[in-house]
Amino acid sequence: MKYERKTSNLLRRLRVNNSYKGFRYIVYGVNRVILNPDLLTYISKELYVEIACKFKTSVSCVERNIRTVVRIIWERGDREFLAEIFGFPLEQKPRNGEFIDALAHYVVEHYYE
């Protein structure tokens, strides 16, 4: 997929690595959202289902593993860079959909060809 490497690099800059299953789910999800932003409208019924099918797992595992990565970033990640991605400082941990949406927007803004 076109923006897979860019998204992976962003997650690494946020101090999370590929050892988390949610890392791969986020990379795939961000790339799908770039291609079809409407997937965020029904994140649990569309995006998570698509990710679960791709990785042969359940929707609940997808949601939980993405939430784990977001929590790790919130607790140990680079808050300044996270604020740059969102465009403003965050006062609370972002929800999964917010995080994927912000990453997708950042990738498109900075790496769109």
Side-chain angles (χ1 to χ4, degrees):
M1 292 192 295
K2 190 171 186 178
Y3 297 106
E4 189 171 318
R5 178 169 288 158
K6 303 293 186 193
T7 306
S8 293
N9 289 341
L10 289 176
L11 289 171
R12 290 178 200 289
R13 283 188 61 193
L14 288 166
R15 299 192 185 129
V16 70
N17 62 44
N18 196 16
S19 66
Y20 295 96
K21 288 182 182 179
F23 183 99
R24 292 180 291 275
Y25 300 163
I26 291 170
V27 170
Y28 182 80
V30 165
N31 282 280
R32 291 298 301 132
V33 165
I34 289 170
L35 296 172
N36 182 6
D38 291 337
L39 288 171
L40 283 173
T41 305
Y42 301 103
I43 191 166
S44 297
K45 294 184 180 185
E46 291 187 22
L47 182 61
Y48 289 169
V49 171
E50 199 172 311
I51 294 169
C53 287
K54 165 78 174 159
F55 291 95
K56 297 177 178 45
T57 190
S58 69
V59 171
S60 62
C61 283
V62 168
E63 189 276 330
R64 182 184 65 242
N65 286 310
I66 291 173
R67 186 170 10 102
T68 297
V69 169
V70 173
R71 181 180 51 80
I72 296 296
I73 290 169
W74 183 250
E75 291 173 359
R76 298 184 240 161
D78 183 340
R79 287 280 182 96
E80 276 188 33
F81 186 53
L82 189 62
E84 181 183 326
I85 288 171
F86 272 83
F88 54 88
L90 298 172
E91 295 182 18
Q92 61 186 16
K93 178 175 69 85
R95 294 187 320 264
N96 290 359
E98 294 171 325
F99 183 73
I100 291 171
D101 179 47
L103 276 179
H105 180 76
Y106 190 88
V107 168
V108 168
E109 280 232 333
H110 291 84
Y111 305 110
Y112 187 77
E113 298 170 0

